[in-house]
Amino acid sequence: MVRIVTFLGKAQYLKEVIEKNRLTDVFIDKSYTIGEVYNVRGVNYHYMDTGVKPSEDYETETINRRIRIAKMIREIISKINDNILFLDSDIVINNIENLLKRFKDIDIPTTIAIPARAKPTNFIVTFFMSTNFYLPLKFKQKLKEIVDNYLNNSFYTVNPVDIFIHTQLQSKVLYVNGICHYINNVKICI
């Protein structure tokens, strides 16, 4: 079985994300949730507190965001003992069934290509190492070790969490049409 998981952060697209992506689990950070949490029967809601508050300073918030994401991923893998499809709370999959079929025969960590902003610019690129990825159960311990290393050794000061994780996991990439990302409140799809 594959559990389809998102984590918050920002909840403004949660209703659509739950419905289109057929989420099984939503992880909510009490320290940083923007917008209203949309509750649906049959979806498991997990509340946690990363203890990392938002900052007005761009550089500080960049590091804070990396720490929050790493802590949320660590929490997710501690709670879910199954294959996991991580999908950000602003990512919409137009055909989730087709995507799940693609993962049926995959037994290695695999990222999903998404449209994304090439920060700090406003250029939109196809990004291949995001926190939108499939993690087979047998890689759960490896991911835990990677995230613990990232947090314990302050790698977040110089390394984006997603790139660090996928470089260490040696994740493969899956490119499929119909992956949409809300960027500056505009839905952009590949």
Side-chain angles (χ1 to χ4, degrees):
M1 181 177 161
V2 176
R3 300 275 288 272
I4 307 170
V5 177
T6 197
F7 52 94
L8 309 174
K10 297 177 182 174
Q12 63 261 47
Y13 309 111
L14 188 58
K15 180 180 187 300
E16 181 182 10
V17 168
I18 288 173
E19 292 169 359
K20 290 283 274 194
N21 298 348
R22 294 189 27 216
L23 294 180
T24 59
D25 297 85
V26 176
F27 284 76
I28 300 132
D29 182 359
K30 293 181 193 175
S31 289
Y32 183 78
T33 302
I34 297 171
E36 216 172 296
V37 174
Y38 180 73
N39 288 296
V40 175
R41 272 172 80 190
V43 175
N44 302 303
Y45 291 85
H46 312 264
Y47 290 85
M48 66 165 293
D49 191 343
T50 62
V52 184
K53 302 284 186 200
S55 172
E56 296 293 322
D57 178 70
Y58 178 79
E59 287 181 24
T60 302
E61 180 53 25
T62 296
I63 290 172
N64 286 354
R65 184 172 180 272
R66 292 172 180 173
I67 295 168
R68 277 193 297 271
I69 291 169
K71 286 185 172 188
M72 294 295 284
I73 289 172
R74 185 169 62 187
E75 179 73 6
I76 291 165
I77 60 177
S78 77
K79 297 272 193 253
I80 295 182
N81 197 30
D82 217 325
N83 300 323
I84 303 171
L85 176 57
F86 292 87
L87 295 174
D88 292 348
S89 62
D90 58 358
I91 295 291
V92 176
I93 311 296
N94 281 329
N95 188 341
I96 191 68
E97 290 301 322
N98 182 47
L99 184 64
L100 291 173
K101 284 178 192 171
R102 301 281 296 269
F103 288 124
K104 198 172 185 176
D105 297 322
I106 294 176
D107 67 344
I108 56 174
T110 305
T111 65
I112 303 165
I114 64 166
R117 190 168 69 93
K119 297 174 186 171
T121 74
N122 284 319
F123 294 114
I124 304 300
V125 297
T126 301
F127 185 51
F128 299 98
M129 296 182 94
S130 72
T131 49
N132 297 278
F133 67 103
Y134 174 72
L135 183 77
L137 178 59
K138 69 181 183 180
F139 285 91
K140 191 171 104 162
Q141 182 59 36
K142 174 82 171 159
L143 180 57
K144 180 189 181 311
E145 291 166 8
I146 291 167
V147 172
D148 286 348
N149 184 32
Y150 182 79
L151 290 168
N152 295 340
N153 292 297
S154 303
F155 287 123
Y156 47 79
T157 60
V158 292
N159 295 287
V161 62
D162 44 11
I163 294 171
F164 186 85
I165 286 171
H166 296 303
T167 301
Q168 300 292 313
L169 274 178
Q170 298 181 347
S171 300
K172 301 303 177 205
V173 175
L174 180 63
Y175 182 98
V176 290
N177 291 322
I179 307 295
C180 304
H181 185 190
Y182 279 98
I183 302 170
N184 298 327
N185 294 316
V186 176
K187 188 193 240 182
I188 298 173
C189 303
I190 55 174

